[in-house]
Amino acid sequence: MAHPDILLIGHVTCDLSSADPQSDHRLGGTVSFAAVTAVRLGRAPTIITRAAPSTDLSGLPAEAEVRVLPSPTTTTFANVYTEQGRVQTCYARALPITANDIDGPLRRPRAVLLGPLVNEIGPDVAGIFDDTTLVVAVPQGWMRRWDDTGRVYSKRWDDVAEVLPFVDVLVLSQEDIDHDLSRLEPFFEHVPLVVLTESRDGSTLYRRLGRGAIVETKVPPREAQEIDPTGAGDIFATAFMIRLQETGDPVQSARFANVTASFGVERVGMAGIPSREEVLAYMREHPFPATGDRVARAHRAAHAMAPRGRLRDGPAWRRSLPGARGRP
C-alpha cells in the first residue's frame, strides 16, 4: 500500500439545517470540508472516519479515499448563527478513533490533519506519525463540552501535554478560546507554530523562535460576501497545511489559507471552495504588503527561515519551524 498524500482524521457529521433534530441535514465535519479543499487544491486526500452504515457520503469528492470505521451512530450537529455568534448543539456522537485504527502505511503521509469534533480522536493518535509528516491539529473537538441537552460550550483542553508534543502546527479560532488570548499561552510551550483564525479579520501567526521568543504576525483577509460560514476554519486549516507543506513559508501559507476560506463562505456548504488557480490568481492580483515594524520584521524572518522546494526535495516546512518534532 502506498503512503497517502494528505491524511484526514475525524468524524464526518450530519449537519442539521435548524435546531430541530428532525430537520433536513447535509454532510459536514472537518474531514469533509478538508477533503473537498484538498481535491480543489490539487492534492489527494485519504479520510479515516466513523459513521453509521446508513450515512450518505455522496458529498465527499470521488477522488478521496474514504475509510469508514463502524459505528452505530453518526455525529450530528445543529449550527445556528446569531448576532452573538454560533449556537451549536450535538445530538449524537459516533465512536472514537484510536491509534489502532490507523494502519502502518497510513502513518507516513506528507501531511495529516487531526480534526476532532467531539473528542473522538484519542491522545495516542498524534504520536504515531513519521518525523517527515507535517502534523496539523484543529483542536476544537478537544476543547468542547456539552450539557444534557447537547448544547456545546467551550472548555479548556485537558490532554494538551499528551497531544501537542507530537503536533507541528495548531490551528484554532477565537471562538475556540472564548476570545481570551491568554488561553494560547500553554500551547506555546509545546508547538512551534500556532495559527489563530479571526473571521473577517484574517489570521494571526504565533511562531516560537530561539530562546522561547514568540513572534506575532498579522495576516490580512480577503474581503468576502459571507453566505455560510460553516466549515471556514476547516477550509483554512487544510489550505494552510497544504501550502506550508509545499513551500515552508508560514506567512504566505496563512495568506493562501485566508483567501481560500474567504471564497468558501460565499456559497452554501462546500460549493464555494475554490480551485488552486483561483486562489493564486487572487494573490497575484492582490499582493499584501507588511505594515508596521513588528509585522515587517516577522515577514522578513519567515522568508529567511523558509527556503522553498518541490515536494520531492524533502519537507521544506521543517526548516521553517525551529523546535518541530525530530529537530534538536
Side-chain angles (χ1 to χ4, degrees):
M1 179 189 300
H3 300 298
D5 178 25
I6 302 295
L7 184 63
L8 310 170
I9 303 175
H11 283 172
V12 295
T13 65
C14 291
D15 284 355
L16 301 173
S17 60
S18 75
D20 180 357
Q22 303 304 316
S23 61
D24 293 338
H25 66 269
R26 66 190 184 204
L27 186 67
T30 294
V31 296
S32 300
F33 282 92
V36 174
T37 302
V39 167
R40 293 191 181 163
L41 296 179
R43 302 298 290 269
T46 298
I47 296 172
I48 299 177
T49 191
R50 280 195 187 273
S54 59
T55 306
D56 181 6
L57 301 178
S58 61
L60 295 175
E63 298 89 340
E65 179 181 347
V66 183
R67 299 191 173 203
V68 183
L69 305 170
S71 177
T73 56
T74 298
T75 296
T76 302
F77 281 106
N79 295 296
V80 177
Y81 293 93
T82 71
E83 292 183 359
Q84 290 72 41
R86 178 171 65 171
V87 176
Q88 189 173 53
T89 306
C90 180
Y91 291 105
R93 297 186 296 277
L95 295 176
I97 300 169
T98 69
N100 290 334
D101 296 316
I102 303 169
D103 298 334
L106 294 175
R107 298 183 179 194
R108 292 192 63 188
R110 287 192 171 108
V112 58
L113 183 67
L114 306 178
L117 297 172
V118 288
N119 202 27
E120 74 270 23
I121 299 179
D124 59 343
V125 171
I128 67 175
F129 299 102
D130 189 82
D131 281 347
T132 61
T133 297
L134 173 61
V135 180
V136 178
V138 181
Q140 57 184 332
W142 289 316
M143 301 173 70
R144 285 174 173 164
R145 60 180 177 87
W146 40 87
D147 62 21
D148 291 340
T149 69
R151 173 72 183 272
V152 176
Y153 299 92
S154 175
K155 74 174 185 69
R156 291 189 179 273
W157 183 2
D158 297 328
D159 298 328
V160 168
E162 294 181 62
V163 175
L164 286 191
F166 304 102
V167 171
D168 300 304
V169 182
L170 190 68
V171 181
L172 68 170
S173 70
Q174 292 174 317
E175 182 183 49
D176 293 329
I177 57 171
D178 279 339
H179 299 266
D180 179 2
L181 293 179
S182 69
R183 291 179 59 180
L184 296 176
E185 293 293 334
F187 306 149
F188 298 149
E189 299 175 18
H190 302 286
V191 184
L193 178 58
V194 175
V195 186
L196 185 68
T197 61
E198 299 163 333
S199 186
R200 297 174 179 85
D201 295 325
S203 57
T204 298
L205 304 178
Y206 297 89
R207 286 173 293 141
R208 189 181 68 213
L209 302 182
R211 300 180 180 178
I214 303 297
V215 175
E216 179 181 330
T217 309
K218 173 69 178 173
V219 182
R222 167 189 172 270
E223 187 174 342
Q225 302 300 314
E226 184 179 292
I227 300 296
D228 182 5
T230 303
D234 305 324
I235 299 169
F236 176 97
T238 308
F240 181 88
M241 175 180 71
I242 285 172
R243 198 60 176 163
L244 182 65
Q245 188 270 328
E246 293 171 346
T247 68
D249 186 331
V251 175
Q252 290 298 330
S253 297
R255 175 62 168 170
F256 181 88
N258 282 352
V259 173
T260 304
S262 71
F263 279 112
V265 304
E266 293 186 326
R267 295 177 67 183
V268 174
M270 305 174 200
I273 300 174
S275 68
R276 178 184 292 262
E277 291 71 24
E278 289 176 281
V279 176
L280 293 179
Y282 180 89
M283 291 178 68
R284 285 192 298 270
E285 294 168 5
H286 302 84
F288 76 98
T291 57
D293 292 342
R294 189 180 201 179
V295 174
R297 285 197 298 271
H299 185 74
R300 289 197 295 271
H303 284 278
M305 291 190 301
R308 295 175 179 269
R310 297 180 182 273
L311 293 177
R312 64 172 180 268
D313 293 334
W317 61 268
R318 186 170 294 282
R319 297 190 290 275
S320 70
L321 300 182
R325 297 170 305 113
R327 290 197 59 152

